[in-house]
Amino acid sequence: MSHIQREPVHAGEFLLSEGAGQISREVINVAAGAALMPGQVLGLVTATGFFAPYNPVATNGSEDAACILFGPLGESDVTRRARAVVRLAEVSEAHLTGLDPTAEQALAERFIIVR
């Protein structure tokens, strides 16, 4: 019997295009928590100023999609430094996690266009 292995999503694999240089990316702080894969849609928790996975039913700020995680993050019980795409990019819908129509619209307002 053979096993099917799946290649994990690589850093930035969701990017179709971005602004010149690295104008599309910023260093961010991600709240402690579960491991996250590249392409995770993130929202900004207003009380802490840390990013967390986009959650459309939250009431802490993470219900507003703000950016997309660029590379993988391991599980952690402390705040993590990361890179995110925050503006001026086209991204592949198939490689995003947590995307819904509301998040897609919020990202478009930041000039992150889902294709």
Side-chain angles (χ1 to χ4, degrees), residues 15 17 19 26 59 69 79 97 99 102:
L15 274 173
S17 70
E26 294 287 342
T59 58
L69 184 64
T79 303
T97 302
L99 185 71
T102 303

Side-chain angles (χ1 to χ4, degrees), residues 50-84:
F50 300 149
F51 288 86
Y54 166 72
N55 180 351
V57 297
T59 58
N60 64 359
S62 66
E63 69 275 14
D64 297 319
C67 61
I68 302 170
L69 184 64
F70 184 81
L73 282 180
E75 181 178 357
S76 178
D77 58 357
V78 296
T79 303
R80 302 163 280 181
R81 297 282 283 172
R83 303 283 185 283

Side-chain angles (χ1 to χ4, degrees), residues 3-43:
H3 295 290
I4 297 174
Q5 294 185 358
R6 294 193 176 240
E7 181 106 9
V9 178
H10 297 283
E13 186 174 351
F14 61 90
L15 274 173
L16 299 174
S17 70
E18 64 181 318
Q22 294 186 354
I23 195 169
S24 299
R25 303 180 207 173
E26 294 287 342
V27 175
I28 63 168
N29 291 313
V30 178
L36 300 172
M37 296 301 295
Q40 173 68 56
V41 177
L42 301 172

